[in-house]
Amino acid sequence: QVQLVESGGGSVQVGGSLRLSCAASGRTSRSYVMGWFRQAPGPEREFLAAINWSTARIYYADSVKGRFTISRDNAKNTVFLQMSSLKPEDTAVYYCAADTRGRSGYTSVPSGYDYWGQGTQVTVSS
């Protein structure tokens, strides 16, 4: 089992920044892929970014490339999502997720991730 706990969400004005954290505990491994997703009202969970813990390769969705940055702290088993130039359409619940299947790249499909955090709300207002 892997436990994921997100933090850092909140309310921010248009153009502002936030940094989300995702602390992993339990059966963690350097072979995992850690991803960030978000979900606005509706059924779809949108992929934002992923980092392959073993290769250190990073992947972004086109919608956030250049505004969001994913990073990690190996010693703390924590992944971050730095968000800047925030827009009202970035308002959503943000989730981190762990893909424990040891893939060499990444997946942007939510069903490819085995563990999820509880989510943290980000609200961007004008």
Side-chain angles (χ1 to χ4, degrees):
Q1 290 285 338
V2 177
Q3 292 79 44
L4 303 173
V5 179
E6 301 102 336
S7 60
S11 297
V12 64
Q13 300 226 322
V14 169
S17 300
L18 281 175
R19 189 174 84 153
L20 306 182
S21 300
C22 173
S25 61
R27 197 173 177 182
T28 58
S29 168
R30 293 292 180 257
S31 66
Y32 293 174
V33 175
M34 300 297 296
W36 283 99
F37 291 77
R38 67 186 177 190
Q39 188 165 12
E44 299 296 325
R45 198 162 283 191
E46 178 190 7
F47 169 78
L48 301 174
I51 183 166
N52 186 304
W53 211 290
S54 62
T55 66
R57 292 196 67 177
I58 287 173
Y59 310 88
Y60 293 104
D62 288 342
S63 60
V64 302
K65 201 174 292 184
R67 296 193 301 126
F68 291 9
T69 302
I70 189 171
S71 62
R72 65 182 183 178
D73 183 327
N74 287 348
K76 297 182 179 179
N77 282 334
T78 298
V79 176
F80 305 98
L81 186 69
Q82 177 70 46
M83 307 185 294
S84 60
S85 302
L86 286 164
K87 308 172 184 179
E89 52 264 43
D90 293 317
T91 296
V93 179
Y94 284 68
Y95 296 91
C96 71
D99 167 8
T100 64
R101 303 170 205 193
R103 67 183 83 236
S104 59
Y106 82 109
T107 180
S108 62
V109 177
S111 61
Y113 291 79
D114 308 293
Y115 298 97
W116 293 82
Q118 81 286 356
T120 186
Q121 176 71 44
V122 171
T123 302
V124 184
S125 57
S126 56

